[in-house]
Amino acid sequence: DAVVRFEDVHFAYVPERPILRGISFTVPAGRTVAIVGPSGAGKSTLSRLLFRFYEPQGGRITVDGQDIASVQQDSLRAAIGMVPQDTVLFNDTIGYNVRYGRWEASEAEVREAATLAQIDRFIAALPEGYDTPVGERGLKLSGGEKQRVAIARTILKGPPILVLDEATSALDSFTEREIQDALDRVSRGRTTLVIAHRLSTVVGADEIIVLDQGRIAERGTHLGLLDQG
Ligand code: ADP
Ligand code: ADP
């Protein structure tokens, strides 16, 4: 399993406005680290830097000890599975949507990934709003279910590193629990970085990092952070 390390990373989109001011943390092999913090804190910027959409102006980011500045963006994309905040489904079955990106996967592998993400009961269904056969209606998936399709797709590809970007919108507590559950199952034993908006969705993380105004305001486990009140 891969190790991801941010070492004193500094970043600004525009010079006069620093977004990250010396961020250091490690995602150990097979562990889950969650980044939380208010909107605008720089959480998504961290994942953009990890994919080399931008380069840090100070410090460095390594994967397995190698500075990603010397790694091709294509190889980074192959190594890092990204589950985006909003998933756009393709005009085909949920099974096809899970298989997307790894066409050689067997039926059994597709089913296994779908089961892990708890969407296996939808495998044959067509999502609502797509070309369903005359007289048939598509399946209406909630936002949380759509995200689980994306989770299944990503784990089928089996990247050594997983990045999950959680919903910004308020989720009902049922959806939140479902997502948390799916997340716990897929991140177990996988090097995982979760970008989260609520502490409540990342209770299982090995470390939670609270970003505020470009710095790490607090870090610890869920219980530890609650204790500090
Ligand atoms: P978060 O994910 O924590 O909500 P972001 O990382 O998306 O925060 O953004 C951090 C800050 O950087 C915000 O103030 C945002 O407005 C700013 N920002 C994001 N993208 C850009 C960009 N492309 N150019 C300039 N500023 C940006
Ligand atoms: P619906 O879209 O059917 O009302 P939700 O209330 O679950 O379903 O979702 C609201 C919004 O949040 C949608 O845009 C959806 O894509 C998104 N969403 C839902 N759950 C998540 C999640 N865990 N992570 C990211 N985005 C999510």
Side-chain angles (χ1 to χ4, degrees):
D1 268 322
V3 178
V4 176
R5 198 187 286 270
F6 279 65
E7 297 173 16
D8 195 27
V9 170
H10 288 258
F11 180 75
Y13 292 100
V14 287
E16 62 276 14
R17 217 179 136 238
I19 302 294
L20 302 174
R21 320 182 200 205
I23 300 295
S24 302
F25 65 89
T26 299
V27 193
R31 298 297 174 133
T32 298
V33 170
I35 310 287
V36 301
S39 177
K43 303 181 295 294
S44 305
T45 301
L46 287 176
S47 68
R48 288 177 208 135
L49 293 176
L50 183 56
F51 281 98
R52 286 195 66 203
F53 291 130
Y54 298 93
E55 306 292 335
Q57 284 106 11
R60 58 178 207 149
I61 302 166
T62 65
V63 171
D64 285 340
Q66 191 183 10
D67 192 331
I68 62 165
S70 62
V71 178
Q72 293 290 327
Q73 219 183 13
D74 285 352
S75 345
L76 280 175
R77 283 193 200 182
I80 306 169
M82 172 79 183
V83 180
Q85 226 174 85
D86 278 302
T87 300
V88 178
L89 297 179
F90 300 101
N91 184 12
D92 209 312
T93 62
I94 300 301
Y96 173 100
N97 273 277
V98 171
R99 188 185 287 276
Y100 189 89
R102 202 175 144 229
W103 304 110
E104 71 281 12
S106 69
E107 281 302 315
E109 286 171 320
V110 171
R111 188 158 288 281
E112 188 183 279
T115 303
L116 204 56
Q118 294 175 296
I119 48 146
D120 45 311
R121 63 188 185 282
F122 306 136
I123 268 186
L126 288 160
E128 184 182 59
Y130 295 86
D131 296 340
T132 42
V134 178
E136 278 182 38
R137 296 198 49 204
L139 176 72
K140 182 162 169 47
L141 293 173
S142 73
E145 286 163 347
K146 272 193 231 164
Q147 206 191 26
R148 271 146 51 202
V149 174
I151 289 175
R153 179 188 298 157
T154 304
I155 57 182
L156 183 64
K157 286 192 230 156
I161 301 164
L162 208 58
V163 176
L164 282 135
D165 198 349
E166 284 224 342
T168 43
S169 54
L171 302 175
D172 58 72
S173 58
F174 176 73
T175 307
E176 199 168 276
R177 202 148 13 85
E178 274 190 324
I179 300 272
Q180 193 189 310
D181 190 45
L183 209 145
D184 284 349
R185 285 134 125 329
V186 303
S187 62
R188 199 164 299 148
R190 234 179 271 268
T191 304
T192 307
L193 185 66
V194 183
I195 312 289
H197 301 268
R198 281 168 301 276
L199 260 184
S200 58
T201 56
V202 292
V203 285
D206 296 294
E207 185 177 37
I208 298 171
I209 289 171
V210 184
L211 269 196
D212 194 23
Q213 301 189 33
R215 294 185 205 278
I216 295 179
E218 286 183 272
R219 61 203 304 166
T221 60
H222 186 249
L223 269 180
L225 290 176
L226 288 182
D227 277 348
Q228 291 168 30

